[in-house]
Amino acid sequence: MAGYENIYEYEPSLKGKGLAIGVVMSRFNQDISEGLLSACTSELKRLGVDEGSVAIATVPGALEIPLVLQTMARSGRFNALIALGAVIRGETYHFEIVSNDSCRALMEVQISTGIPIANGILTCEDDDQAIARMHQKGSDCAQVAVEMANLLGAIGGQS
């Protein structure tokens, strides 16, 4: 880029070696959540994250995910966290509450703890939409977690 020779730019890194990743998965809509988890863990492995450096906790539903993520973030054991689940629209307003509040709480945990969280809580109109998205979203979350952990590590390591 012309004119930016003296500006330092952090390069994205998807190298998972040496990173510890925590995953919290909702058991509600379990088939979809397990599809997300399968894609996520496969991608973490492909990126070089050691299987022994991945911890998975399950919770009843999407609203329970943020509290467990907060506990994991405060433990000091993880470089990044991943939230996995599916909220499928029903006939009541409950869909909006769960979707909005789970997302808001993930952001609050991320900002208050400084630990990056990849949001893999699908919010879909129906099961077909969730099934169509679960593998790509699970894989994307693994990449986001690794990239953000590396970026924050690089920024923290700058003198």
Side-chain angles (χ1 to χ4, degrees), residues 8-37:
Y8 183 80
E9 181 178 351
Y10 294 96
E11 293 295 326
S13 172
L14 291 175
K15 296 178 182 167
K17 185 172 176 58
L19 296 178
I21 308 293
V23 180
V24 180
M25 182 193 85
S26 165
R27 292 186 306 272
F28 199 79
N29 294 312
Q30 189 159 3
D31 289 345
I32 295 162
S33 293
E34 288 179 357
L36 286 160
L37 180 64

Side-chain angles (χ1 to χ4, degrees), residues 68-78 81 109 113 115 117:
V68 177
L69 288 171
Q70 179 176 312
T71 303
M72 287 178 145
R74 290 179 176 169
S75 75
R77 294 178 40 216
F78 301 98
L81 301 169
V109 171
T113 64
I115 301 295
I117 299 173

